Amino acid sequence: MAELSKTFENRWHKKYAVLPIRKENFSSGKLFNIRFAKPLNQEPQILFGHILFDEAEVAKIFPKSPDTLYLTIVRDVRTVIESRITYNPVAINLKFPSMEAFQAAEHLAINFPKYRNNPKLGFEGSNWYYFTMSSNKSIPSIETNTTAIQIEIDRLDKLFDFVMITEMFDEGLILLKNMLKLEDEEIEYLKLNARTSSREKKTHSAEYEEAIQKYFIADDMIYQHFKKRFISQLEKYGRERMENEVKNFRKKLLDLRNECIQDYHHRKRNSAFLAVPILYKNASEHCKAMAMSTVRYALKIKKIQYSR
């Protein structure tokens, strides 16, 4: 997620981060390998970005230890499907733009056997979280091998120190802030390219839910497991304490938005509209940096790192 990546980039821009050689993400459909990373003369403090997780390769840079934090973020598989359709250029070839993202997600899930072997979809077609997070990249029987999936989830639970939930993003940032002893300014963000649909007001059909449990069960089990763990962490932190901190934090985010953003441009992307921020002409360098895409900001970090 762009906002989360920017949080880490903002925090560590004066230190050394492992960045991809390419100007895009690490993944590119391939498992993470240290060969994909730019060499550093200094010991790195962070590895971030969209990667197809390979525990052994990541451990070559950051072995699991009490001083190392393994962090990721997940969200409801139903909105993941909508998002993949919205942002994935492959969706154009499947004629999804003629539908709203909500409708297209139902269509893809219910008719998944039709699209399952489409080479253009690749791993993005089903159980994306399982594929990107698991050490076993061979997804268990598509017809729901829940025992094998649960064994892998138990392993992931021990491996990842903190798993954020997109639907409770601000709460996750506050927990992360306390975990890493950050300041509010270090977790502030501007929303970039957010979809403007009203999908949360709609209800999916029973047929769609049945398809989720049949074809996307691995991802749904991962999400439900880590959502339950996250809520347990919220309870431990204190509900009232969190509500107050979220309220204050969102006020700061609103102040930042009012300082930086004049308006939003609603750009059509496949089956949805994205709200792209338009900065004030005299916007500060801080505002410009906050409004940069993850890719552009990573390039900025590279210039800083390799000019030393």
Side-chain angles (χ1 to χ4, degrees), residues 129-173:
Y129 286 136
Y130 188 94
F131 186 86
T132 55
M133 295 171 66
S134 173
S135 60
N136 176 15
K137 300 303 179 186
S138 298
I139 295 177
S141 171
I142 201 74
E143 305 300 334
T144 73
N145 184 347
T146 54
T147 300
I149 296 169
Q150 188 58 54
I151 290 173
E152 185 60 20
I153 289 175
D154 292 341
R155 192 189 71 82
L156 292 174
D157 186 82
K158 294 182 178 68
L159 178 64
F160 284 95
D161 303 282
F162 187 53
V163 178
M164 292 175 62
I165 303 297
T166 299
E167 292 81 1
M168 293 175 275
F169 186 66
D170 291 344
E171 291 86 345
L173 283 180

Side-chain angles (χ1 to χ4, degrees), residues 180-289:
L180 298 180
K181 296 180 174 55
L182 307 177
E183 301 296 331
D184 280 351
E185 293 72 21
E186 295 178 295
I187 61 170
E188 288 181 350
Y189 65 92
L190 292 174
K191 285 189 177 181
L192 306 176
N193 294 326
R195 284 186 291 151
T196 59
S197 67
S198 57
R199 62 190 182 282
E200 55 271 10
K201 299 179 182 179
K202 302 176 182 178
T203 303
H204 282 295
S205 66
E207 188 179 9
Y208 176 68
E209 291 300 326
E210 183 180 339
I212 291 291
Q213 296 306 310
K214 187 173 184 179
Y215 303 120
F216 300 84
I217 185 65
D219 273 10
D220 197 45
M221 286 178 65
I222 287 173
Y223 171 74
Q224 297 299 339
H225 173 86
F226 285 109
K227 179 181 179 182
K228 183 178 179 180
R229 191 176 92 166
F230 185 86
I231 290 175
S232 177
Q233 291 172 311
L234 283 183
E235 296 292 348
K236 185 177 179 180
Y237 190 79
R239 283 283 185 178
E240 186 175 352
R241 176 188 177 192
M242 178 59 74
E243 288 174 4
N244 290 332
E245 291 193 27
V246 167
K247 182 179 179 179
N248 292 332
F249 179 55
R250 287 177 177 166
K251 183 180 182 303
K252 291 183 178 181
L253 293 182
L254 180 60
D255 290 341
L256 177 65
R257 187 182 72 183
N258 291 337
E259 174 193 343
C260 299
I261 299 176
Q262 181 178 20
D263 200 355
Y264 282 93
H265 166 66
H266 297 281
R267 179 166 58 92
K268 187 77 165 63
R269 177 69 180 267
N270 288 359
S271 53
F273 283 94
L274 307 180
V276 182
I278 301 173
L279 300 183
Y280 287 106
K281 290 184 179 180
N282 60 345
S284 65
E285 290 302 315
H286 176 63
C287 288
K288 292 176 183 178

Side-chain angles (χ1 to χ4, degrees), residues 6 9 11 20 28 40 80 88 103 107 109-110 117-118 121 130 154 170 219 238 254 264 272 297:
K6 288 287 289 300
E9 290 167 328
R11 164 67 172 169
S28 305
L40 285 173
V80 170
N88 182 1
Q103 296 173 317
H107 174 80
I110 293 170
N117 298 319
N118 188 320
L121 276 177
Y130 188 94
D154 292 341
D170 291 344
D219 273 10
L254 180 60
Y264 282 93
Y297 202 89

